Amino acid sequence: MRKWSFTYELIKFPLDIWHYFFYRKITIIDKQNIPKDRPIIFAPNHQNAIMDALAVIFTSRMQPVFLARSDIFKNPIIASILHTFRIYPVYRIRDGASSLDKNEEIFNKSVKILEYKKAMAIFPEAAHTEFRRLRKLKKGIPRVAFIAEKQ
């Protein structure tokens, strides 16, 4: 995940055009404050399922790595597509207590991404619903940030 991916850009290009026509007007405030040579964690609200991730992808010219719930990785074909788009699984207690140990590897990879001065995206609410309101924030972002800062 440290290198720029041609495959990622090749797949992203037609989707970028679709995104532009679907959302004719997009306002980005203070884009100049997004660092290009330092690690960054994007932490958008998660009100709109996949569109939230696409908003991050199409409004920054980076190739951010996302953390997403592990159950969407069960199908090997979908998992392969998700990995192409730099999405890693995060395991929750509802995925089984024994699966939580797998998060150690994911958080270590996340720290490496930040060490390489790349971008990550984590949804702090860790879920989306049809109700438009801020929900309780999860601990994934501070966990990754504190581990990266310590190292």
Side-chain angles (χ1 to χ4, degrees):
M1 298 297 171
R2 18 180 319 186
K3 296 181 182 178
W4 182 83
S5 169
F6 178 75
T7 305
Y8 183 102
E9 290 298 324
L10 188 64
I11 295 169
K12 179 183 161 192
F13 181 73
L15 296 173
D16 199 3
I17 293 169
W18 170 82
H19 189 261
Y20 173 78
F21 284 108
F22 191 79
Y23 294 103
R24 296 231 177 228
K25 183 177 180 187
I26 298 172
T27 304
I28 304 170
I29 300 170
D30 293 332
K31 187 173 183 175
Q32 72 278 5
N33 292 330
I34 298 174
K36 293 176 179 58
D37 59 345
R38 294 188 327 191
I40 185 168
I41 299 175
F42 291 103
N45 286 2
H46 200 22
Q47 303 288 315
N48 208 6
I50 189 94
M51 298 312 291
D52 301 325
L54 294 177
V56 173
I57 291 170
F58 296 130
T59 57
S60 75
R61 293 296 165 203
M62 302 174 184
Q63 293 181 349
V65 175
F66 285 83
L67 298 184
R69 65 180 206 258
S70 67
D71 62 319
I72 64 174
F73 289 81
K74 288 182 180 176
N75 180 313
I77 294 168
I78 298 215
S80 176
I81 292 167
L82 294 171
H83 285 294
T84 299
F85 279 101
R86 299 173 177 237
I87 302 172
Y88 288 146
V90 175
Y91 301 88
R92 303 168 296 176
I93 192 72
R94 71 178 91 162
D95 300 320
S98 62
S99 66
L100 293 177
D101 291 341
K102 297 176 187 176
N103 281 335
E104 198 65 37
E105 177 187 354
I106 299 303
F107 288 128
N108 288 336
K109 285 182 180 181
S110 299
V111 168
K112 288 286 184 204
I113 290 160
L114 296 174
E115 285 177 359
Y116 297 139
K117 299 182 179 174
K118 301 296 180 184
M120 288 201 64
I122 307 172
F123 297 108
E125 297 168 286
H128 63 87
T129 65
E130 61 188 75
F131 303 108
R132 304 248 185 236
R133 61 179 170 80
L134 187 63
R135 290 171 304 282
K136 183 179 177 184
L137 304 180
K138 304 297 181 186
K139 58 187 176 186
I141 294 171
R143 181 174 177 183
V144 170
F146 288 144
I147 293 170
E149 182 65 27
K150 185 177 179 181
Q151 291 185 7

